[in-house]
Amino acid sequence: MPGLVDLAARLREPGYEHEGMLATEMAAAVAGGVTSVCPPDTDPVLDESGLVEMLKYRAEKLQRARLFPLGAITRGLAGEVLTEMAELTEAGCVGFGQADVPLTNTQVLQRALQYASTFGYTLWLRPQTRPGKGVAASGPLATRLGLAGVPVAAETIAVFTIIELMRNTGARVHLCRLLQRGGRRARAGSQGRRPAADLRREHQFAALVRHRHRVLRQPGTPESPLRQQRDRDALSAALPTATIDALVSDHTPVETDAKTLPFAESEPGATGLELLLPLALQWGEQSGAGLKRAIEVITSAPARMLAAAGSARVAVGAVADLCIFDPATEWQVKARGAEEPGQAHALCRLRPARPRARHAGRRSRGP
């Protein structure tokens, strides 16, 4: 099958080398069958062409997965001054985003969309307003535990704003890592050109394994907390019908010490590159979507969003990005450093879910 395309994999270099290195995370990508990765953020942010060229050069030197960087919409992600998108595109950027920093200034967002529309660029936007210091999805459970909640409106308002500005400017938009069904409905109900959208792989796992505590920002989960079960089920159901286009790993390596802090102060993140294919296959089987759709949402669909020549395509003369796997073979995920089959390659040891009690690690299928 074609190599996997991951639209959200944080490689942690430059900026967070103590949590992950370009070499380790690229090795994890290749081990998971991912041949094309798109990092949503770096530190320093990619707001100058020299930084983009340096990152691409280091990735190419490793000769592992191909790298498709996203440039910053505003300088330093401050939400005030637009970057030189034309120069960043020439340096190798495939689109522009604000990482996980909300762009709350509507005027700046409109100007960015106008700029992007003029030159045919795509803006990758995480639909969210400023939720404060929320660490759990707002609801009864968060209230009982005394945790600051993130309201549903934080995403819904942002989605409606983006769609309205998109309609006025004619720009191409990609909505990144939707969290709740209101955002999905707003996108599905938009008239004219619809923005593309992707979904984190935790939604598929959480929709299959129903744990009430998943509404929290668990130490082994990414930045934003998953919503209640009805939202996760609605998003999972939207993937087979192409209402949502792609599935991403949201791979975020985090050092172990950052997880030993109190719950609200711990750093969110989990490894996901090596689990993207197994979880997609599990979702395709148990949801009834089938093997074809399960492979499509992690190969050809995200490749179309990147407009990446040769990616996720098996053809004469195309780039030989291939993934070979046996869907009938099970393997057991083990921590990095275990000298045996199934060991993780990513520097981060934290997975998106704890293993079942009867296993020393989670059994998965894939490459």
Side-chain angles (χ1 to χ4, degrees), residues 257-325:
D257 290 344
K259 297 297 188 179
T260 60
L261 300 172
F263 183 87
E265 300 174 18
S266 63
E267 185 177 352
T271 186
L273 278 168
E274 294 168 86
L275 299 178
L276 181 59
L277 178 57
L279 289 178
L281 295 175
Q282 183 184 15
W283 164 77
E285 179 183 339
Q286 298 188 20
S287 68
L291 179 63
K292 181 179 179 181
R293 180 57 181 166
I295 292 176
E296 181 183 7
V297 297
I298 53 177
T299 55
S300 58
R304 286 193 296 269
M305 299 179 197
L306 284 178
S311 289
R313 188 168 65 98
V314 179
V316 176
V319 177
D321 283 351
L322 303 174
C323 172
I324 301 175
F325 75 100

Side-chain angles (χ1 to χ4, degrees), residues 25 93 132 161 192 270 293 313 330:
E25 307 317 305
C93 288
T161 301
R293 180 57 181 166
R313 188 168 65 98
E330 289 191 353

Side-chain angles (χ1 to χ4, degrees), residues 152-171:
V152 172
E155 179 175 294
T156 306
I157 294 172
V159 170
F160 275 104
T161 301
I162 292 169
I163 289 176
E164 190 62 31
L165 292 176
M166 176 184 169
R167 184 181 299 135
N168 292 336
T169 60

